């Protein structure tokens, strides 16, 4: 560990030395280019004109607005664990959820004999660390509901939270107000990590 | 009592080092090898162990920090106030509180993550959960980094505080800056305090120790106090105010009569009056220093008046203690540390007054009765009015006088040595005072070996006396030896003697036979303690027989025993008619009455009135009867176990059957018999 630190210091030292040396050596200087004019080495090429740049940024904005990014699909055998039941342990119709879940505050289990999907209480979460994308600060907010799980409607109804799930969080402590003057107390956020691997739910607020 | 030694607090590492230490310890002390092919429970256990171990280490280290730092409310108020003055109580408490919350948070984190780890179903998942747990704990530590740095600074400063014992005899020196307090303490103790011409040379409390009347006093030098309102005082002045306020000490208020400290006597008097409330109940002495520059008599009228006012104030404290008017001079003293005149007088005065006050307090307190009850001076009651002074014979008085004279003029070896050139030059002749028959032999060298023998083996100062004694013994022994040449011939015995001889020989052979039988059957025969008497040997008949063989009438003894027999006393009244059938041997075979106490009492009734079993006999080595009864109990308790096993004693480790049949043969009802 100390060796790592020494190595890091050495690398930093080398960089600063190189930087100091740079100032004394000579460097190739580009010709000053007028605004709008194309520099010499770009002549005879197609301009990556502003138009394309524009479209890229528009696409990005649209993507952000939609709030969807690449989500790895989760297989059913990864999501559920088969629980054997019955006197001879031959019946296999029960499933235990292995990912983080959210159940509402008024949740009561079905009678154990009849419950098909078991959501263990150790994997139930009530709070999420939500980042505001513009303010760049994170708040610990309560989850109100699971809105949509990209892996399927069954998971949404079960309340399973995986990466990319849209959840609704209680933002009353941020003190947001609608233009009409009403207090906003619930907003959507999208989960950005794998909660079962980290033990906590990190989400980004969808503004 | 808490040791006011703040040097023993362990070092508080800063945040980054703390984290490094704990994480590297986790890495070294927990198993490191894990493979994704292992059973899932093994994987979970592996990672849970790491999380738990890290949490435990954090907990331990943070707990030591919290415990070792003193709690300001639990220590002596002097130290509590001093630490408050120096470090600000609130900051201190806050820092420690933060450490406490960090400890609790880390505990919670560990608990949550261990719960989650139970659901980990792959190596990757367990591993990332462990990484998350450890990372969170380290973030908590990062947040308390500033508190740790603050506590480390405090610890370093506290270790350098002077170790002042607030309960012992203390002399406190106070006054304006530059009046000569530090020079005074340098003179009377071994403390080496800085003395400089500028004010506030002394910036904190210094302790020195001095002796007076075989007792140790601690002398505390304080930084100078200026005459300011209480709220304006800075930390340095507050140190001395704290010391004044909390320590029950003799106070020496220093006054610079020459004014060379830069402050006039008026200013110093003003200071005195403003802090005189702190001198309550303390023996106060006003010391006028620097009298070599300006003697006390030479100061002006107004100054003298001020000094007298201060003196009267100091006298009030003296009177409050119930002091005598004769010690008027003790209240106002003059001295000069430069010329060293009066320094010792001041010290003695202060120590004396403090000692008197402390003794008075102790006499008044309740604890003194415990001490007073312990000793008692016994004066013999005078029988009559005749006076009996000690009687010293005249010769002794004269001898004493001459001895005293002689002692004065006796020349010591050291003087001789000094005369003749000192330690290296003159060596004293050690043989000079030998007492020998001939004085010329004094300087002779003693030979060590003579004729092959060591001379020292033969030297003895009493050798002549010993020789005489030996010869005497020889003479006596020879005389006795002649008497003992009396041989046992058969012809010289009379008939009676022959008979007696035969009886004795028979008895002896019987005993030997019995012993041989006992020995041969020892291993197969259980040894039962005598009191159970399986063979019914100890009967009154036997006793009667033996006694009559000796020629004593046994009937009286037998009757007495029968009277005192336990079975008789234990049986109910209706059965009293059966007394005749009672076998005398029931006396000590009474297994129905296992009450040992009763039996003891009965068998030793003749002694019971004079000595109960718990009474301490001098010579037995017991401190008191409690100890004796405890020893008896222990003895009986240890004997009980042995008796149950029919063992003869501690060293009896006989096994009756080495190969019991039921263990070495037979089938089992359940299970296999492939090992026995």
């Amino acid at each position: 560990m100390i060796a790592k630190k020494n190595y890091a210091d050495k690398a930093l030292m080398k960089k600063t030395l190189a930087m100091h040396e740079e100032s004394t050596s000579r460097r190739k200087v580009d010709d000053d280019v007028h605004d709008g004019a194309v520099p010499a080495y770009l002549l005879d090429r197609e301009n990556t004109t502003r138009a394309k740049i524009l479209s890229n940024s528009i696409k990005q904005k649209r993507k952000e607005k939609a709030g969807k990014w690449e989500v790895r699909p989760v297989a059913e055998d990864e999501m559920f664990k088969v629980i054997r039941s019955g006197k001879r342990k031959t019946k296999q119709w029960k499933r235990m959820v292995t990912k983080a879940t959210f159940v509402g505050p008024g949740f009561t289990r079905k009678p154990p004999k009849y419950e098909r999907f078991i959501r263990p209480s150790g994997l139930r979460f009530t709070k999420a660390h939500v980042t505001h994308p513009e303010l760049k600060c994170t708040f610990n907010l309560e989850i109100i509901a699971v809105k949509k799980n990209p892996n399927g409607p069954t998971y949404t109804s079960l309340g399973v939270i995986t990466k990319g799930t849209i959840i609704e969080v209680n933002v009353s402590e941020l003190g947001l107000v609608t233009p009409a003057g009403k207090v906003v107390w619930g907003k959507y956020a999208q989960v950005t990590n794998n909660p079962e691997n980290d033990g906590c739910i990190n989400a980004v607020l969808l503004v | 009592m808490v040791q006011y030694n703040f040097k023993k607090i362990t070092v508080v590492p800063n945040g980054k080092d703390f984290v490094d230490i704990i994480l590297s310890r986790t890495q070294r002390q927990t198993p490191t090898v894990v493979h994704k092919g292992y059973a899932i429970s093994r994987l979970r256990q592996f990672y849970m162990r790491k999380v738990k171990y890290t949490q435990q280490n954090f907990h331990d280290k943070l707990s030591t920090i919290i415990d070792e730092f003193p709690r300001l409310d639990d220590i002596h108020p002097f130290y509590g106030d001093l630490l408050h003055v120096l470090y600000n109580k609130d900051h201190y408490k806050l820092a420690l509180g933060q450490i406490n919350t960090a400890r609790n948070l880390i505990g919670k984190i560990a608990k949550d993550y261990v719960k989650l780890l139970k659901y980990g179903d792959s190596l990757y998942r367990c591993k990332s959960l462990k990484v998350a747990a450890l990372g969170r704990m380290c973030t908590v530590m990062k947040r308390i980094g500033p508190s740790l740095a603050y506590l480390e600074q405090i610890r370093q400063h506290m270790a350098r505080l002077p170790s002042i014992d607030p309960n012992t005899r203390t002399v406190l020196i106070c006054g304006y800056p530059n009046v000569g307090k530090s020079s005074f303490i340098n003179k009377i103790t071994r403390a080496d305090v800085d003395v400089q011409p500028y004010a506030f040379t002394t910036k904190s409390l210094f302790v020195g120790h001095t002796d007076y009347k075989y007792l140790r006093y601690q002398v505390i030098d304080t930084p100078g106090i200026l005459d300011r309102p209480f709220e304006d005082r800075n930390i340095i002045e507050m140190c001395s105010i704290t010391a004044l306020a909390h320590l029950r000490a003799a106070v020496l208020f220093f006054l610079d009569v020459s004014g060379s400290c830069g402050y006039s006597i008026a200013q110093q008097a003003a200071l005195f009056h403003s802090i005189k409330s702190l001198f309550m109940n303390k023996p106060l002495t006003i010391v006028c220093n620097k009298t070599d520059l300006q003697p006390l008599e030479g100061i002006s009228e107004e100054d003298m008046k001020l000094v007298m006012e201060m003196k009267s104030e100091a006298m009030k404290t003296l009177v409050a203690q119930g002091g005598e008017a004769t010690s008027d001079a003790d209240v106002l003293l003059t001295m000069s540390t430069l010329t060293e005149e009066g320094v010792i007088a001041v010290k003695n005065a202060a120590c004396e007054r403090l000692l008197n006050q402390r003794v008075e307090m102790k006499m008044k307190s309740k604890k003194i009765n415990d001490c007073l009850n312990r000793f008692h001076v016994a004066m013999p009651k005078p029988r009559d009015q005749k006076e009996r002074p000690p009687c010293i014979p005249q010769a002794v008085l004269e001898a004493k006088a001459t001895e005293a004279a002689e002692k004065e003029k006796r020349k010591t070896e050291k003087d001789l040595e000094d005369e003749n050139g000192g330690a290296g030059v003159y060596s004293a002749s050690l043989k000079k005072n030998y007492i020998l028959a001939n004085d010329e032999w004094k300087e002779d060298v003693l030979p060590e070996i003579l004729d092959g023998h060591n001379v020292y083996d033969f030297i003895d100062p009493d050798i002549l006396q010993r020789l005489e004694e030996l010869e005497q013994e020889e003479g006596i022994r020879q005389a006795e030896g002649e008497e003992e040449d009396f041989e046992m011939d058969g012809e010289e015995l009379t008939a009676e003697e022959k008979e007696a001889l035969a009886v004795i020989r028979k008895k002896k052979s019987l005993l030997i036979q019995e012993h041989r039988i006992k020995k041969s059957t020892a291993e197969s025969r259980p040894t039962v303690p005598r009191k159970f008497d399986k063979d019914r040997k100890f009967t009154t008949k036997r006793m009667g027989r033996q006694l009559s063989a000796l020629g004593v009438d046994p009937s009286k003894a037998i009757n007495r025993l029968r009277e005192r027999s336990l079975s008789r006393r234990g049986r109910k009244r209706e059965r009293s008619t059966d007394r005749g059938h009672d076998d005398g041997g029931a006396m000590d075979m009474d297994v129905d009455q296992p009450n040992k106490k009763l039996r003891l009492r009965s068998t030793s009734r003749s002694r019971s009135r004079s000595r109960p079993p718990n009474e301490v006999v001098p010579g037995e080595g017991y401190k008191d009867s409690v100890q004796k009864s405890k020893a008896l109990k222990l003895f009986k308790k240890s004997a009980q176990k042995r008796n149950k096993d029919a063992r003869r004693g501690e060293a009896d480790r006989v096994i009756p059957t080495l190969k019991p049949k039921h263990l070495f043969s037979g089938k089992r009802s359940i299970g296999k018999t492939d090992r026995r």
Side-chain angles (χ1 to χ4, degrees), chain B residues 259-272:
Chain B
S260 60
C261 62
Y263 304 96
S264 70
I265 295 190
Q267 287 173 307
Q268 296 180 46
L271 171 70
F272 178 85

mmCIF file with all atom_site columns, all heavy atoms in Angstrom, chain B residues 259-272:
data_model
loop_
_atom_site.group_PDB
_atom_site.id
_atom_site.type_symbol
_atom_site.label_atom_id
_atom_site.label_alt_id
_atom_site.label_comp_id
_atom_site.label_asym_id
_atom_site.label_entity_id
_atom_site.label_seq_id
_atom_site.pdbx_PDB_ins_code
_atom_site.Cartn_x
_atom_site.Cartn_y
_atom_site.Cartn_z
_atom_site.occupancy
_atom_site.B_iso_or_equiv
_atom_site.pdbx_formal_charge
_atom_site.auth_seq_id
_atom_site.auth_comp_id
_atom_site.auth_asym_id
_atom_site.auth_atom_id
_atom_site.pdbx_PDB_model_num
ATOM 1  N N   . GLY B 1 259 ? 9.623  48.016 42.848 1.00 0.00 ? 259 GLY B N   1
ATOM 2  C CA  . GLY B 1 259 ? 8.974  48.550 41.648 1.00 0.00 ? 259 GLY B CA  1
ATOM 3  C C   . GLY B 1 259 ? 9.740  48.270 40.384 1.00 0.00 ? 259 GLY B C   1
ATOM 4  O O   . GLY B 1 259 ? 9.399  48.791 39.320 1.00 0.00 ? 259 GLY B O   1
ATOM 5  N N   . SER B 1 260 ? 10.764 47.389 40.444 1.00 0.00 ? 260 SER B N   1
ATOM 6  C CA  . SER B 1 260 ? 11.560 47.148 39.235 1.00 0.00 ? 260 SER B CA  1
ATOM 7  C C   . SER B 1 260 ? 10.851 46.225 38.261 1.00 0.00 ? 260 SER B C   1
ATOM 8  O O   . SER B 1 260 ? 11.317 46.029 37.149 1.00 0.00 ? 260 SER B O   1
ATOM 9  C CB  . SER B 1 260 ? 12.920 46.546 39.609 1.00 0.00 ? 260 SER B CB  1
ATOM 10 O OG  . SER B 1 260 ? 12.716 45.327 40.281 1.00 0.00 ? 260 SER B OG  1
ATOM 11 N N   . CYS B 1 261 ? 9.711  45.655 38.693 1.00 0.00 ? 261 CYS B N   1
ATOM 12 C CA  . CYS B 1 261 ? 8.963  44.836 37.744 1.00 0.00 ? 261 CYS B CA  1
ATOM 13 C C   . CYS B 1 261 ? 8.194  45.708 36.772 1.00 0.00 ? 261 CYS B C   1
ATOM 14 O O   . CYS B 1 261 ? 7.667  45.238 35.777 1.00 0.00 ? 261 CYS B O   1
ATOM 15 C CB  . CYS B 1 261 ? 7.993  43.915 38.497 1.00 0.00 ? 261 CYS B CB  1
ATOM 16 S SG  . CYS B 1 261 ? 6.771  44.798 39.450 1.00 0.00 ? 261 CYS B SG  1
ATOM 17 N N   . GLY B 1 262 ? 8.101  46.964 37.058 1.00 0.00 ? 262 GLY B N   1
ATOM 18 C CA  . GLY B 1 262 ? 7.392  47.875 36.167 1.00 0.00 ? 262 GLY B CA  1
ATOM 19 C C   . GLY B 1 262 ? 6.019  48.260 36.691 1.00 0.00 ? 262 GLY B C   1
ATOM 20 O O   . GLY B 1 262 ? 5.293  48.996 36.029 1.00 0.00 ? 262 GLY B O   1
ATOM 21 N N   . TYR B 1 263 ? 5.668  47.730 37.849 1.00 0.00 ? 263 TYR B N   1
ATOM 22 C CA  . TYR B 1 263 ? 4.353  48.055 38.395 1.00 0.00 ? 263 TYR B CA  1
ATOM 23 C C   . TYR B 1 263 ? 4.538  48.578 39.808 1.00 0.00 ? 263 TYR B C   1
ATOM 24 O O   . TYR B 1 263 ? 5.350  48.082 40.570 1.00 0.00 ? 263 TYR B O   1
ATOM 25 C CB  . TYR B 1 263 ? 3.459  46.804 38.425 1.00 0.00 ? 263 TYR B CB  1
ATOM 26 C CG  . TYR B 1 263 ? 3.313  46.150 37.079 1.00 0.00 ? 263 TYR B CG  1
ATOM 27 C CD1 . TYR B 1 263 ? 4.112  45.081 36.724 1.00 0.00 ? 263 TYR B CD1 1
ATOM 28 C CD2 . TYR B 1 263 ? 2.398  46.640 36.149 1.00 0.00 ? 263 TYR B CD2 1
ATOM 29 C CE1 . TYR B 1 263 ? 3.989  44.483 35.493 1.00 0.00 ? 263 TYR B CE1 1
ATOM 30 C CE2 . TYR B 1 263 ? 2.268  46.041 34.915 1.00 0.00 ? 263 TYR B CE2 1
ATOM 31 C CZ  . TYR B 1 263 ? 3.068  44.973 34.584 1.00 0.00 ? 263 TYR B CZ  1
ATOM 32 O OH  . TYR B 1 263 ? 2.930  44.399 33.362 1.00 0.00 ? 263 TYR B OH  1
ATOM 33 N N   . SER B 1 264 ? 3.767  49.569 40.143 1.00 0.00 ? 264 SER B N   1
ATOM 34 C CA  . SER B 1 264 ? 3.939  50.187 41.463 1.00 0.00 ? 264 SER B CA  1
ATOM 35 C C   . SER B 1 264 ? 3.236  49.341 42.510 1.00 0.00 ? 264 SER B C   1
ATOM 36 O O   . SER B 1 264 ? 2.448  48.450 42.196 1.00 0.00 ? 264 SER B O   1
ATOM 37 C CB  . SER B 1 264 ? 3.332  51.579 41.466 1.00 0.00 ? 264 SER B CB  1
ATOM 38 O OG  . SER B 1 264 ? 1.913  51.453 41.400 1.00 0.00 ? 264 SER B OG  1
ATOM 39 N N   . ILE B 1 265 ? 3.565  49.675 43.755 1.00 0.00 ? 265 ILE B N   1
ATOM 40 C CA  . ILE B 1 265 ? 2.959  48.929 44.861 1.00 0.00 ? 265 ILE B CA  1
ATOM 41 C C   . ILE B 1 265 ? 1.447  49.142 44.868 1.00 0.00 ? 265 ILE B C   1
ATOM 42 O O   . ILE B 1 265 ? 0.673  48.243 45.210 1.00 0.00 ? 265 ILE B O   1
ATOM 43 C CB  . ILE B 1 265 ? 3.585  49.372 46.206 1.00 0.00 ? 265 ILE B CB  1
ATOM 44 C CG1 . ILE B 1 265 ? 5.070  48.991 46.221 1.00 0.00 ? 265 ILE B CG1 1
ATOM 45 C CG2 . ILE B 1 265 ? 2.846  48.733 47.362 1.00 0.00 ? 265 ILE B CG2 1
ATOM 46 C CD1 . ILE B 1 265 ? 5.741  49.150 47.530 1.00 0.00 ? 265 ILE B CD1 1
ATOM 47 N N   . ALA B 1 266 ? 1.025  50.323 44.452 1.00 0.00 ? 266 ALA B N   1
ATOM 48 C CA  . ALA B 1 266 ? -0.420 50.584 44.414 1.00 0.00 ? 266 ALA B CA  1
ATOM 49 C C   . ALA B 1 266 ? -1.115 49.615 43.474 1.00 0.00 ? 266 ALA B C   1
ATOM 50 O O   . ALA B 1 266 ? -2.156 49.037 43.799 1.00 0.00 ? 266 ALA B O   1
ATOM 51 C CB  . ALA B 1 266 ? -0.654 52.025 43.968 1.00 0.00 ? 266 ALA B CB  1
ATOM 52 N N   . GLN B 1 267 ? -0.519 49.417 42.301 1.00 0.00 ? 267 GLN B N   1
ATOM 53 C CA  . GLN B 1 267 ? -1.145 48.497 41.349 1.00 0.00 ? 267 GLN B CA  1
ATOM 54 C C   . GLN B 1 267 ? -1.181 47.086 41.913 1.00 0.00 ? 267 GLN B C   1
ATOM 55 O O   . GLN B 1 267 ? -2.184 46.377 41.794 1.00 0.00 ? 267 GLN B O   1
ATOM 56 C CB  . GLN B 1 267 ? -0.350 48.484 40.039 1.00 0.00 ? 267 GLN B CB  1
ATOM 57 C CG  . GLN B 1 267 ? -0.531 49.741 39.228 1.00 0.00 ? 267 GLN B CG  1
ATOM 58 C CD  . GLN B 1 267 ? 0.404  49.752 38.035 1.00 0.00 ? 267 GLN B CD  1
ATOM 59 O OE1 . GLN B 1 267 ? 1.610  49.575 38.213 1.00 0.00 ? 267 GLN B OE1 1
ATOM 60 N NE2 . GLN B 1 267 ? -0.136 49.952 36.869 1.00 0.00 ? 267 GLN B NE2 1
ATOM 61 N N   . GLN B 1 268 ? -0.078 46.701 42.543 1.00 0.00 ? 268 GLN B N   1
ATOM 62 C CA  . GLN B 1 268 ? -0.035 45.345 43.082 1.00 0.00 ? 268 GLN B CA  1
ATOM 63 C C   . GLN B 1 268 ? -1.058 45.172 44.196 1.00 0.00 ? 268 GLN B C   1
ATOM 64 O O   . GLN B 1 268 ? -1.693 44.133 44.330 1.00 0.00 ? 268 GLN B O   1
ATOM 65 C CB  . GLN B 1 268 ? 1.371  45.038 43.602 1.00 0.00 ? 268 GLN B CB  1
ATOM 66 C CG  . GLN B 1 268 ? 2.394  45.052 42.473 1.00 0.00 ? 268 GLN B CG  1
ATOM 67 C CD  . GLN B 1 268 ? 3.793  44.763 42.952 1.00 0.00 ? 268 GLN B CD  1
ATOM 68 O OE1 . GLN B 1 268 ? 4.003  43.833 43.720 1.00 0.00 ? 268 GLN B OE1 1
ATOM 69 N NE2 . GLN B 1 268 ? 4.742  45.563 42.510 1.00 0.00 ? 268 GLN B NE2 1
ATOM 70 N N   . ALA B 1 269 ? -1.190 46.241 45.003 1.00 0.00 ? 269 ALA B N   1
ATOM 71 C CA  . ALA B 1 269 ? -2.201 46.155 46.068 1.00 0.00 ? 269 ALA B CA  1
ATOM 72 C C   . ALA B 1 269 ? -3.590 46.044 45.475 1.00 0.00 ? 269 ALA B C   1
ATOM 73 O O   . ALA B 1 269 ? -4.444 45.306 45.978 1.00 0.00 ? 269 ALA B O   1
ATOM 74 C CB  . ALA B 1 269 ? -2.090 47.381 46.966 1.00 0.00 ? 269 ALA B CB  1
ATOM 75 N N   . ALA B 1 270 ? -3.810 46.762 44.373 1.00 0.00 ? 270 ALA B N   1
ATOM 76 C CA  . ALA B 1 270 ? -5.135 46.689 43.733 1.00 0.00 ? 270 ALA B CA  1
ATOM 77 C C   . ALA B 1 270 ? -5.413 45.274 43.268 1.00 0.00 ? 270 ALA B C   1
ATOM 78 O O   . ALA B 1 270 ? -6.514 44.751 43.447 1.00 0.00 ? 270 ALA B O   1
ATOM 79 C CB  . ALA B 1 270 ? -5.174 47.666 42.547 1.00 0.00 ? 270 ALA B CB  1
ATOM 80 N N   . LEU B 1 271 ? -4.387 44.646 42.675 1.00 0.00 ? 271 LEU B N   1
ATOM 81 C CA  . LEU B 1 271 ? -4.567 43.260 42.256 1.00 0.00 ? 271 LEU B CA  1
ATOM 82 C C   . LEU B 1 271 ? -4.911 42.380 43.444 1.00 0.00 ? 271 LEU B C   1
ATOM 83 O O   . LEU B 1 271 ? -5.800 41.527 43.381 1.00 0.00 ? 271 LEU B O   1
ATOM 84 C CB  . LEU B 1 271 ? -3.281 42.765 41.583 1.00 0.00 ? 271 LEU B CB  1
ATOM 85 C CG  . LEU B 1 271 ? -3.272 41.267 41.303 1.00 0.00 ? 271 LEU B CG  1
ATOM 86 C CD1 . LEU B 1 271 ? -4.251 40.950 40.212 1.00 0.00 ? 271 LEU B CD1 1
ATOM 87 C CD2 . LEU B 1 271 ? -1.902 40.787 40.930 1.00 0.00 ? 271 LEU B CD2 1
ATOM 88 N N   . PHE B 1 272 ? -4.160 42.604 44.524 1.00 0.00 ? 272 PHE B N   1
ATOM 89 C CA  . PHE B 1 272 ? -4.399 41.795 45.726 1.00 0.00 ? 272 PHE B CA  1
ATOM 90 C C   . PHE B 1 272 ? -5.851 41.891 46.154 1.00 0.00 ? 272 PHE B C   1
ATOM 91 O O   . PHE B 1 272 ? -6.520 40.883 46.438 1.00 0.00 ? 272 PHE B O   1
ATOM 92 C CB  . PHE B 1 272 ? -3.479 42.293 46.832 1.00 0.00 ? 272 PHE B CB  1
ATOM 93 C CG  . PHE B 1 272 ? -3.681 41.569 48.127 1.00 0.00 ? 272 PHE B CG  1
ATOM 94 C CD1 . PHE B 1 272 ? -3.035 40.373 48.372 1.00 0.00 ? 272 PHE B CD1 1
ATOM 95 C CD2 . PHE B 1 272 ? -4.536 42.063 49.104 1.00 0.00 ? 272 PHE B CD2 1
ATOM 96 C CE1 . PHE B 1 272 ? -3.219 39.710 49.555 1.00 0.00 ? 272 PHE B CE1 1
ATOM 97 C CE2 . PHE B 1 272 ? -4.720 41.387 50.292 1.00 0.00 ? 272 PHE B CE2 1
ATOM 98 C CZ  . PHE B 1 272 ? -4.060 40.214 50.520 1.00 0.00 ? 272 PHE B CZ  1
#
